[in-house]
Amino acid sequence: MRGRTITQTRPDADLAWYWSSQTASFVGDRLTGFAVPSIAILTLNASSAEVGVLSALGWFAYPAFGLVAGAALPHVPRRRVMITGEVIRFAAFATIPLAAALGGAGMGQLFVVVAVAGIAMVFVDVASQSYLPALVSADQLVGVNAKLQSSDSASKLVGPALAGLLLRTTGTTVGLFLSALPFLASAYGRTRITAVEQPVEPATEPFLQRIRTGFAFVRHHPVLRRQVGAAAVRSFGSGMVDAVLLLFAYRVLGLSSLAGGLLIAAGSVGGLLGAFVANRLASKLGTRRVLVLTSMEALCWLAIPLCLVTTPAIALVLIRVLAGGWLPVWNVVTTSVRQQVTPAALQSTVHATARTLTSSTVPLGALTGGFAGGVLSSHLGAATGLVLVLATGGVIAGSSALLVATEPREV
Protein backbone atom coordinates (compact mmCIF):
# COMPACT_ATOMS: atom_id res chain seq x y z
CA MET A 1 0.00 0.00 0.00
CA ARG A 2 1.55 3.30 -1.02
CA GLY A 3 1.23 6.43 1.09
CA ARG A 4 -0.86 9.30 -0.23
CA THR A 5 0.64 12.72 -0.78
CA ILE A 6 -0.99 16.15 -0.60
CA THR A 7 -0.48 18.89 -3.17
CA GLN A 8 -0.07 22.21 -1.36
CA THR A 9 -0.63 25.55 -3.06
CA ARG A 10 -0.03 27.72 0.07
CA PRO A 11 1.56 25.60 2.81
CA ASP A 12 1.86 28.37 5.43
CA ALA A 13 -1.80 29.33 5.14
CA ASP A 14 -2.89 25.69 5.19
CA LEU A 15 -0.91 25.05 8.37
CA ALA A 16 -2.43 28.17 9.95
CA TRP A 17 -5.96 26.99 9.14
CA TYR A 18 -5.12 23.49 10.38
CA TRP A 19 -3.76 24.89 13.65
CA SER A 20 -6.68 27.24 14.20
CA SER A 21 -9.19 24.47 13.44
CA GLN A 22 -7.48 22.12 15.87
CA THR A 23 -7.51 24.88 18.48
CA ALA A 24 -11.25 25.44 18.02
CA SER A 25 -11.80 21.71 18.35
CA PHE A 26 -9.78 21.67 21.58
CA VAL A 27 -11.87 24.53 22.95
CA GLY A 28 -15.09 22.71 22.09
CA ASP A 29 -13.78 19.61 23.86
CA ARG A 30 -13.04 21.58 27.04
CA LEU A 31 -16.26 23.56 27.06
CA THR A 32 -18.55 20.57 26.56
CA GLY A 33 -16.31 18.31 28.64
CA PHE A 34 -16.88 20.60 31.62
CA ALA A 35 -20.47 21.61 30.91
CA VAL A 36 -21.96 18.12 30.53
CA PRO A 37 -20.73 16.59 33.82
CA SER A 38 -21.50 19.87 35.61
CA ILE A 39 -25.09 19.69 34.38
CA ALA A 40 -25.24 16.04 35.47
CA ILE A 41 -23.97 16.83 38.99
CA LEU A 42 -25.58 20.20 39.68
CA THR A 43 -28.86 19.92 37.75
CA LEU A 44 -29.62 16.19 37.47
CA ASN A 45 -28.07 15.22 40.84
CA ALA A 46 -26.07 12.37 39.31
CA SER A 47 -24.43 9.83 41.61
CA SER A 48 -20.69 9.13 41.75
CA ALA A 49 -21.20 5.96 39.69
CA GLU A 50 -23.26 7.82 37.05
CA VAL A 51 -20.56 10.48 36.74
CA GLY A 52 -17.99 7.71 36.29
CA VAL A 53 -20.08 6.11 33.54
CA LEU A 54 -20.56 9.49 31.86
CA SER A 55 -16.82 10.10 31.92
CA ALA A 56 -16.12 6.62 30.55
CA LEU A 57 -18.63 6.66 27.70
CA GLY A 58 -16.81 9.18 25.54
CA TRP A 59 -13.63 7.14 25.77
CA PHE A 60 -15.30 3.83 25.01
CA ALA A 61 -15.48 5.02 21.40
CA TYR A 62 -11.77 4.36 20.89
CA PRO A 63 -11.73 0.67 21.78
CA ALA A 64 -14.97 0.23 19.82
CA PHE A 65 -14.17 2.29 16.70
CA GLY A 66 -10.50 3.34 16.82
CA LEU A 67 -9.19 0.43 14.79
CA VAL A 68 -12.05 0.76 12.32
CA ALA A 69 -11.14 4.41 11.77
CA GLY A 70 -7.47 3.58 11.35
CA ALA A 71 -8.14 0.91 8.75
CA ALA A 72 -10.67 2.97 6.80
CA LEU A 73 -9.09 6.43 6.72
CA PRO A 74 -6.12 5.67 4.44
CA HIS A 75 -8.71 5.12 1.68
CA VAL A 76 -11.06 8.09 2.20
CA PRO A 77 -10.46 11.87 2.00
CA ARG A 78 -9.30 12.75 5.52
CA ARG A 79 -10.21 16.45 5.34
CA ARG A 80 -13.83 15.53 4.59
CA VAL A 81 -13.83 13.16 7.56
CA MET A 82 -12.60 15.92 9.88
CA ILE A 83 -15.28 18.35 8.70
CA THR A 84 -18.10 15.81 8.98
CA GLY A 85 -16.98 14.67 12.42
CA GLU A 86 -16.96 18.21 13.83
CA VAL A 87 -20.46 18.90 12.50
CA ILE A 88 -21.73 15.67 14.10
CA ARG A 89 -20.23 16.65 17.44
CA PHE A 90 -21.96 20.03 17.36
CA ALA A 91 -25.30 18.46 16.43
CA ALA A 92 -25.04 15.84 19.19
CA PHE A 93 -24.43 18.35 21.98
CA ALA A 94 -27.06 20.74 20.58
CA THR A 95 -29.75 18.12 21.22
CA ILE A 96 -29.33 18.54 25.00
CA PRO A 97 -30.42 22.21 25.19
CA LEU A 98 -33.11 21.43 22.61
CA ALA A 99 -34.50 18.67 24.82
CA ALA A 100 -34.25 20.93 27.86
CA ALA A 101 -36.26 23.61 26.08
CA LEU A 102 -38.92 21.04 25.17
CA GLY A 103 -39.32 19.60 28.63
CA GLY A 104 -36.04 18.48 30.11
CA ALA A 105 -33.04 16.26 29.42
CA GLY A 106 -32.16 13.25 31.55
CA MET A 107 -29.07 11.20 32.26
CA GLY A 108 -30.02 8.75 29.51
CA GLN A 109 -29.77 11.44 26.86
CA LEU A 110 -26.45 12.65 28.27
CA PHE A 111 -25.09 9.11 28.01
CA VAL A 112 -26.16 8.82 24.36
CA VAL A 113 -24.85 12.26 23.37
CA VAL A 114 -21.45 11.71 24.97
CA ALA A 115 -21.14 8.31 23.25
CA VAL A 116 -22.05 9.70 19.79
CA ALA A 117 -19.73 12.68 20.18
CA GLY A 118 -16.98 10.31 21.29
CA ILE A 119 -17.30 8.23 18.12
CA ALA A 120 -17.07 11.36 15.98
CA MET A 121 -14.04 12.46 18.01
CA VAL A 122 -12.24 9.22 17.15
CA PHE A 123 -12.51 9.81 13.41
CA VAL A 124 -11.56 13.49 13.72
CA ASP A 125 -8.55 12.64 15.87
CA VAL A 126 -7.19 9.85 13.68
CA ALA A 127 -7.74 11.88 10.50
CA SER A 128 -6.09 14.97 11.99
CA GLN A 129 -2.99 13.19 13.30
CA SER A 130 -2.43 11.23 10.08
CA TYR A 131 -3.01 14.39 7.98
CA LEU A 132 -0.31 16.47 9.70
CA PRO A 133 2.84 14.62 8.45
CA ALA A 134 1.70 15.36 4.90
CA LEU A 135 1.49 19.10 5.66
CA VAL A 136 4.91 19.60 7.27
CA SER A 137 8.35 18.01 6.97
CA ALA A 138 9.60 15.43 9.46
CA ASP A 139 11.98 17.87 11.18
CA GLN A 140 9.06 20.24 11.85
CA LEU A 141 6.83 17.68 13.58
CA VAL A 142 8.06 18.20 17.14
CA GLY A 143 7.74 21.98 16.81
CA VAL A 144 4.27 21.86 15.27
CA ASN A 145 3.09 19.24 17.77
CA ALA A 146 4.41 21.45 20.57
CA LYS A 147 2.35 24.36 19.20
CA LEU A 148 -0.72 22.15 18.98
CA GLN A 149 -0.13 20.96 22.54
CA SER A 150 0.16 24.60 23.61
CA SER A 151 -3.25 25.23 22.07
CA ASP A 152 -4.63 22.17 23.83
CA SER A 153 -3.20 23.33 27.16
CA ALA A 154 -4.54 26.85 26.62
CA SER A 155 -7.99 25.40 25.91
CA LYS A 156 -7.80 23.53 29.22
CA LEU A 157 -7.03 26.83 30.90
CA VAL A 158 -9.75 28.87 29.21
CA GLY A 159 -12.40 26.23 28.49
CA PRO A 160 -13.54 25.13 31.97
CA ALA A 161 -13.58 28.68 33.31
CA LEU A 162 -15.51 29.93 30.28
CA ALA A 163 -17.93 26.99 30.45
CA GLY A 164 -18.54 27.67 34.14
CA LEU A 165 -19.21 31.32 33.37
CA LEU A 166 -21.60 30.44 30.54
CA LEU A 167 -23.56 28.00 32.71
CA ARG A 168 -23.77 30.51 35.54
CA THR A 169 -24.78 33.52 33.45
CA THR A 170 -26.90 32.02 30.66
CA GLY A 171 -28.20 28.82 32.23
CA THR A 172 -27.64 25.24 31.16
CA THR A 173 -29.69 25.42 27.95
CA VAL A 174 -27.98 28.38 26.31
CA GLY A 175 -24.65 27.68 28.00
CA LEU A 176 -24.27 24.21 26.54
CA PHE A 177 -25.37 25.37 23.07
CA LEU A 178 -22.69 28.07 23.12
CA SER A 179 -20.16 25.54 24.37
CA ALA A 180 -20.71 23.40 21.26
CA LEU A 181 -20.25 26.24 18.73
CA PRO A 182 -16.43 25.84 18.47
CA PHE A 183 -17.00 22.53 16.69
CA LEU A 184 -18.71 24.43 13.88
CA ALA A 185 -15.82 26.90 13.79
CA SER A 186 -13.40 23.97 13.51
CA ALA A 187 -15.39 22.48 10.63
CA TYR A 188 -15.36 25.82 8.81
CA GLY A 189 -11.61 26.26 9.29
CA ARG A 190 -10.91 22.88 7.75
CA THR A 191 -12.90 23.85 4.65
CA ARG A 192 -10.39 26.68 4.15
CA ILE A 193 -7.41 24.32 3.78
CA THR A 194 -6.48 24.34 0.10
CA ALA A 195 -4.10 21.40 0.16
CA VAL A 196 -5.47 18.85 -2.30
CA GLU A 197 -5.20 15.19 -1.42
CA GLN A 198 -4.31 12.89 -4.25
CA PRO A 199 -7.11 10.61 -5.45
CA VAL A 200 -7.94 7.96 -2.93
CA GLU A 201 -6.41 4.60 -3.72
CA PRO A 202 -8.62 1.52 -3.44
CA ALA A 203 -7.79 -0.78 -0.57
CA THR A 204 -5.52 -3.65 -1.60
CA GLU A 205 -5.48 -5.38 1.78
CA PRO A 206 -8.51 -6.91 3.49
CA PHE A 207 -9.97 -4.71 6.21
CA LEU A 208 -8.95 -6.97 9.09
CA GLN A 209 -5.47 -7.35 7.64
CA ARG A 210 -5.00 -3.58 7.77
CA ILE A 211 -5.91 -3.65 11.46
CA ARG A 212 -3.48 -6.50 12.10
CA THR A 213 -0.74 -4.61 10.23
CA GLY A 214 -1.08 -1.63 12.56
CA PHE A 215 -1.03 -3.87 15.64
CA ALA A 216 2.01 -5.75 14.35
CA PHE A 217 3.97 -2.56 13.68
CA VAL A 218 3.38 -1.24 17.19
CA ARG A 219 3.98 -4.61 18.85
CA HIS A 220 7.28 -5.27 17.11
CA HIS A 221 8.69 -1.75 17.24
CA PRO A 222 10.98 -1.66 20.31
CA VAL A 223 10.26 1.98 21.16
CA LEU A 224 6.57 2.28 20.28
CA ARG A 225 5.72 -0.90 22.20
CA ARG A 226 7.05 0.53 25.47
CA GLN A 227 5.66 4.02 24.92
CA VAL A 228 2.17 2.78 24.11
CA GLY A 229 2.19 0.45 27.11
CA ALA A 230 3.26 3.25 29.42
CA ALA A 231 0.66 5.58 27.92
CA ALA A 232 -2.07 3.01 28.56
CA VAL A 233 -1.15 2.87 32.25
CA ARG A 234 -1.01 6.67 32.40
CA SER A 235 -4.46 6.92 30.80
CA PHE A 236 -5.92 4.56 33.42
CA GLY A 237 -4.68 6.78 36.24
CA SER A 238 -5.85 9.95 34.50
CA GLY A 239 -9.28 8.41 34.02
CA MET A 240 -9.55 7.81 37.77
CA VAL A 241 -8.62 11.43 38.53
CA ASP A 242 -10.94 12.97 35.95
CA ALA A 243 -13.91 10.89 37.10
CA VAL A 244 -13.95 12.29 40.65
CA LEU A 245 -12.25 15.68 40.43
CA LEU A 246 -15.45 17.66 39.85
CA LEU A 247 -17.27 15.64 42.51
CA PHE A 248 -14.52 16.62 44.95
CA ALA A 249 -14.75 20.27 43.89
CA TYR A 250 -18.54 20.52 44.12
CA ARG A 251 -19.48 18.23 46.98
CA VAL A 252 -16.44 18.44 49.26
CA LEU A 253 -15.19 21.96 48.60
CA GLY A 254 -18.69 23.31 47.90
CA LEU A 255 -17.65 25.29 44.83
CA SER A 256 -20.02 26.79 42.26
CA SER A 257 -19.80 25.92 38.56
CA LEU A 258 -17.79 29.10 37.93
CA ALA A 259 -15.37 28.45 40.79
CA GLY A 260 -15.11 24.80 39.76
CA GLY A 261 -14.25 25.85 36.22
CA LEU A 262 -11.53 28.18 37.49
CA LEU A 263 -10.15 25.40 39.67
CA ILE A 264 -10.01 22.90 36.81
CA ALA A 265 -8.49 25.54 34.54
CA ALA A 266 -5.73 26.27 37.04
CA GLY A 267 -4.04 23.00 36.23
CA SER A 268 -3.56 24.14 32.67
CA VAL A 269 -1.14 26.86 33.73
CA GLY A 270 1.41 24.11 34.23
CA GLY A 271 0.23 22.53 30.98
CA LEU A 272 1.07 25.67 29.01
CA LEU A 273 4.55 25.73 30.50
CA GLY A 274 5.04 22.03 29.75
CA ALA A 275 3.99 22.44 26.13
CA PHE A 276 6.27 25.46 25.78
CA VAL A 277 9.41 23.66 27.01
CA ALA A 278 8.73 20.20 25.53
CA ASN A 279 10.64 20.80 22.29
CA ARG A 280 13.57 22.35 24.15
CA LEU A 281 13.73 19.52 26.70
CA ALA A 282 13.62 16.85 23.99
CA SER A 283 16.47 18.55 22.11
CA LYS A 284 18.70 18.83 25.19
CA LEU A 285 17.91 15.62 27.09
CA GLY A 286 16.70 13.23 24.42
CA THR A 287 13.30 11.57 24.23
CA ARG A 288 13.91 8.78 26.73
CA ARG A 289 15.19 11.01 29.53
CA VAL A 290 12.37 13.51 29.00
CA LEU A 291 9.72 10.79 29.17
CA VAL A 292 11.20 9.37 32.38
CA LEU A 293 11.28 12.90 33.82
CA THR A 294 7.49 13.14 33.46
CA SER A 295 7.18 10.63 36.32
CA MET A 296 7.51 13.69 38.59
CA GLU A 297 3.75 14.01 38.17
CA ALA A 298 3.31 11.13 40.64
CA LEU A 299 5.11 13.06 43.39
CA CYS A 300 2.74 15.98 42.91
CA TRP A 301 -0.36 13.83 43.43
CA LEU A 302 1.14 12.25 46.55
CA ALA A 303 0.55 15.64 48.16
CA ILE A 304 -3.25 15.48 47.67
CA PRO A 305 -3.90 14.51 51.34
CA LEU A 306 -2.84 18.07 52.20
CA CYS A 307 -6.32 19.07 51.03
CA LEU A 308 -7.66 17.46 54.21
CA VAL A 309 -5.39 19.33 56.64
CA THR A 310 -4.94 22.74 55.09
CA THR A 311 -6.87 25.18 52.91
CA PRO A 312 -8.25 22.63 50.42
CA ALA A 313 -8.89 24.84 47.40
CA ILE A 314 -5.42 26.42 47.50
CA ALA A 315 -3.71 23.05 47.99
CA LEU A 316 -5.62 21.49 45.09
CA VAL A 317 -4.80 24.41 42.79
CA LEU A 318 -1.08 24.11 43.56
CA ILE A 319 -1.11 20.36 43.00
CA ARG A 320 -2.89 20.71 39.68
CA VAL A 321 -0.51 23.42 38.50
CA LEU A 322 2.58 21.39 39.42
CA ALA A 323 1.21 18.11 38.04
CA GLY A 324 -0.33 19.58 34.90
CA GLY A 325 2.94 20.39 33.16
CA TRP A 326 4.08 16.83 32.59
CA LEU A 327 1.30 15.39 30.41
CA PRO A 328 1.85 17.91 27.55
CA VAL A 329 5.56 17.03 27.53
CA TRP A 330 4.67 13.34 27.30
CA ASN A 331 2.14 13.93 24.50
CA VAL A 332 4.43 16.10 22.38
CA VAL A 333 7.35 13.69 22.55
CA THR A 334 5.44 10.42 22.06
CA THR A 335 3.28 11.77 19.22
CA SER A 336 6.32 13.14 17.39
CA VAL A 337 8.24 9.88 17.81
CA ARG A 338 5.30 7.89 16.48
CA GLN A 339 4.90 10.16 13.45
CA GLN A 340 8.62 10.06 12.69
CA VAL A 341 9.15 6.30 12.87
CA THR A 342 5.93 5.30 11.07
CA PRO A 343 5.90 4.95 7.25
CA ALA A 344 3.49 7.27 5.44
CA ALA A 345 1.24 4.43 4.32
CA LEU A 346 0.77 3.27 7.93
CA GLN A 347 0.20 6.65 9.63
CA SER A 348 -3.57 6.19 10.07
CA THR A 349 -3.48 2.55 11.17
CA VAL A 350 -0.54 2.95 13.56
CA HIS A 351 -1.93 6.12 15.11
CA ALA A 352 -5.34 4.50 15.53
CA THR A 353 -3.75 1.41 17.08
CA ALA A 354 -1.74 3.48 19.54
CA ARG A 355 -4.69 5.70 20.44
CA THR A 356 -7.00 2.72 20.79
CA LEU A 357 -4.66 0.90 23.14
CA THR A 358 -3.97 3.99 25.27
CA SER A 359 -7.50 5.38 25.27
CA SER A 360 -9.11 2.04 26.06
CA THR A 361 -7.82 2.26 29.62
CA VAL A 362 -9.39 5.70 30.25
CA PRO A 363 -12.96 4.37 30.66
CA LEU A 364 -11.64 1.56 32.85
CA GLY A 365 -9.95 4.15 35.03
CA ALA A 366 -13.06 6.35 35.04
CA LEU A 367 -15.33 3.47 36.06
CA THR A 368 -12.83 2.38 38.70
CA GLY A 369 -12.54 5.92 40.04
CA GLY A 370 -16.28 6.54 40.02
CA PHE A 371 -17.26 3.32 41.77
CA ALA A 372 -14.29 3.41 44.18
CA GLY A 373 -15.17 6.98 45.03
CA GLY A 374 -18.72 5.95 45.86
CA VAL A 375 -17.67 2.97 48.01
CA LEU A 376 -14.89 4.79 49.87
CA SER A 377 -17.06 7.86 50.43
CA SER A 378 -19.81 5.76 52.00
CA HIS A 379 -17.34 4.20 54.46
CA LEU A 380 -14.80 6.98 55.06
CA GLY A 381 -16.71 10.11 54.14
CA ALA A 382 -16.66 12.00 50.84
CA ALA A 383 -13.53 14.03 51.64
CA THR A 384 -11.29 11.10 52.60
CA GLY A 385 -12.72 8.72 50.00
CA LEU A 386 -12.31 11.07 47.05
CA VAL A 387 -8.84 12.17 48.14
CA LEU A 388 -7.73 8.53 48.20
CA VAL A 389 -9.01 8.02 44.65
CA LEU A 390 -7.32 11.20 43.42
CA ALA A 391 -4.00 10.26 45.04
CA THR A 392 -4.07 6.71 43.69
CA GLY A 393 -5.00 7.77 40.16
CA GLY A 394 -2.42 10.54 40.07
CA VAL A 395 0.40 8.28 41.24
CA ILE A 396 -0.51 5.61 38.68
CA ALA A 397 -0.56 8.23 35.90
CA GLY A 398 2.79 9.73 36.79
CA SER A 399 4.75 6.61 37.69
CA SER A 400 3.80 4.94 34.37
CA ALA A 401 6.57 6.98 32.74
CA LEU A 402 9.12 4.74 34.45
CA LEU A 403 8.11 1.96 32.04
CA VAL A 404 10.05 3.68 29.25
CA ALA A 405 13.28 3.78 31.27
CA THR A 406 14.42 0.55 29.60
CA GLU A 407 13.82 1.66 26.01
CA PRO A 408 16.54 -0.02 23.95
CA ARG A 409 17.51 3.01 21.90
CA GLU A 410 17.09 6.74 21.47
CA VAL A 411 14.88 8.15 18.73
Side-chain angles (χ1 to χ4, degrees):
M1 176 169 50
R2 292 180 290 118
R4 284 185 293 154
T5 58
I6 296 180
T7 302
Q8 292 179 267
T9 58
R10 44 174 197 165
D12 292 340
D14 284 340
L15 182 58
W17 278 113
Y18 176 90
W19 186 9
S20 62
S21 298
Q22 287 290 95
T23 300
S25 187
F26 293 149
V27 172
D29 282 335
R30 307 313 165 202
L31 289 172
T32 56
F34 180 85
V36 171
S38 294
I39 291 171
I41 296 170
L42 299 177
T43 303
L44 302 179
N45 197 30
S47 67
S48 175
E50 287 176 323
V51 174
V53 172
L54 189 66
S55 177
L57 273 174
W59 290 99
F60 270 127
Y62 250 108
F65 293 94
L67 297 178
V68 174
L73 287 180
H75 308 288
V76 297
R78 287 167 291 181
R79 188 170 70 105
R80 188 182 305 167
V81 170
M82 291 186 284
I83 295 169
T84 303
E86 297 291 44
V87 172
I88 290 175
R89 288 211 279 180
F90 167 78
F93 286 113
T95 64
I96 297 176
L98 178 61
L102 296 176
M107 287 300 301
Q109 183 182 3
L110 264 61
F111 290 153
V112 172
V113 165
V114 169
V116 171
I119 295 171
M121 178 194 70
V122 168
F123 284 86
V124 172
D125 179 52
V126 175
S128 298
Q129 289 294 332
S130 56
Y131 196 79
L132 180 59
L135 291 179
V136 300
S137 60
D139 61 346
Q140 294 178 295
L141 282 173
V142 173
V144 174
N145 279 316
K147 291 179 180 179
L148 291 170
Q149 189 64 54
S150 296
S151 295
D152 190 26
S153 298
S155 72
K156 293 177 182 178
L157 175 64
V158 176
L162 180 57
L165 178 63
L166 290 174
L167 293 178
R168 187 175 180 85
T169 57
T170 66
T172 57
T173 301
V174 177
L176 184 56
F177 179 82
L178 295 175
S179 296
L181 286 178
F183 294 128
L184 283 185
S186 176
Y188 171 76
R190 297 177 198 276
T191 67
R192 303 293 297 170
I193 298 175
T194 60
V196 179
E197 294 182 79
Q198 296 300 314
V200 176
E201 298 176 356
T204 57
E205 288 182 294
F207 192 82
L208 292 179
Q209 180 59 40
R210 280 175 267 157
I211 292 177
R212 286 194 292 266
T213 299
F215 260 115
F217 187 87
V218 172
R219 185 177 74 251
H220 295 300
H221 196 285
V223 174
L224 292 187
R225 181 175 63 249
R226 285 173 171 80
Q227 290 186 4
V228 170
V233 176
R234 175 181 285 271
S235 296
F236 180 87
S238 298
M240 291 181 64
V241 171
D242 293 342
V244 301
L245 191 56
L246 281 178
L247 282 169
F248 184 71
Y250 291 142
R251 293 183 179 168
V252 175
L253 305 187
L255 302 182
S256 66
S257 61
L258 176 57
L262 292 173
L263 175 65
I264 300 300
S268 299
V269 174
L272 282 171
L273 179 61
F276 180 74
V277 302
N279 192 17
R280 197 170 305 171
L281 286 175
S283 298
K284 290 185 176 181
L285 301 179
T287 58
R288 180 166 50 190
R289 289 191 181 95
V290 170
L291 293 179
V292 173
L293 186 62
T294 63
S295 63
M296 294 293 291
E297 181 181 355
L299 297 179
C300 300
W301 283 106
L302 280 175
I304 196 69
L306 291 176
C307 293
L308 300 182
V309 297
T310 184
T311 308
I314 295 177
L316 187 56
V317 166
L318 290 176
I319 291 169
R320 282 188 52 75
V321 170
L322 294 174
W326 299 110
L327 180 59
V329 175
W330 174 275
N331 287 339
V332 167
V333 174
T334 56
T335 300
S336 300
V337 168
R338 185 167 63 246
Q339 290 170 333
Q340 288 174 0
V341 303
T342 302
L346 295 179
Q347 284 287 338
S348 294
T349 52
V350 169
H351 178 70
T353 299
R355 287 286 284 163
T356 297
L357 294 174
T358 58
S359 299
S360 296
T361 58
V362 175
L364 296 178
L367 291 174
T368 301
F371 283 97
V375 172
L376 292 174
S377 295
S378 65
H379 288 84
L380 304 175
T384 303
L386 295 179
V387 160
L388 285 174
V389 175
L390 289 170
T392 302
V395 169
I396 291 173
S399 60
S400 66
L402 298 176
L403 296 175
V404 302
T406 58
E407 280 187 359
R409 63 186 177 88
E410 188 67 48
V411 177

